[in-house]
């Protein structure tokens, strides 16, 4: 099984997510089914505004209503 990370589109690039609101994805990556379920559950909860912390500068962004929320799963490592 290939380990994956969640990534978010921030500015003009994909950045690895280390915290999504209150959810912290596994540091070493996780399986496709697990991460997909966690991401879908979080987004279905419909948080109005939430912080997405990333590994790249500026190390995060505040997502709010009306802002496109672009996420993907990418290979870890």
């Amino acid at each position: 099984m290939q380990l994956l990370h969640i990534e978010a589109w921030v500015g003009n690039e994909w950045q690895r997510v280390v915290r999504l609101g209150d959810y912290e994805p596994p540091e070493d990556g996780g399986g496709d089914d697990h991460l997909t379920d966690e991401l879908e559950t979080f987004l279905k909860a419909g948080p109005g505004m939430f912080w997405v912390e990333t590994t790249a500068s500026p190390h995060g962004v505040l997502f709010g209503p009306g802002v496109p929320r672009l996420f993907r799963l990418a290979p870890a490592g």
Side-chain angles (χ1 to χ4, degrees), residues 2 8 13 20 23 26 28-29 31 35 39 42 44 46-48 50 53 56-57 59-63 71 75:
Q2 182 179 21
E13 67 181 349
L20 184 63
Y23 171 65
D28 296 330
L35 288 179
L39 183 57
F42 177 81
K44 282 181 185 176
F50 60 95
E53 187 174 333
S57 182
H59 302 291
V61 65
L62 185 63
F63 278 75
F71 297 97

Side-chain angles (χ1 to χ4, degrees), residues 3 5 7-8 15 19 21 25-26 37 39 42 51 55 59 67-68 70:
L3 294 178
H5 288 295
E7 292 184 339
Q15 296 183 12
R19 180 185 297 269
D37 290 345
L39 183 57
F42 177 81
W51 180 255
T55 56
H59 302 291
V67 176
L70 303 173

Side-chain angles (χ1 to χ4, degrees), residues 5-53:
H5 288 295
I6 298 173
E7 292 184 339
W9 184 258
V10 178
N12 62 352
E13 67 181 349
W14 289 103
Q15 296 183 12
R16 187 175 142 235
V17 172
V18 293
R19 180 185 297 269
L20 184 63
D22 293 332
Y23 171 65
E24 291 185 45
E27 187 175 322
D28 296 330
D32 180 33
D33 291 341
H34 174 72
L35 288 179
T36 299
D37 290 345
E38 293 290 330
L39 183 57
E40 287 178 358
T41 299
F42 177 81
L43 294 174
K44 282 181 185 176
M49 295 184 83
F50 60 95
W51 180 255
V52 177
E53 187 174 333

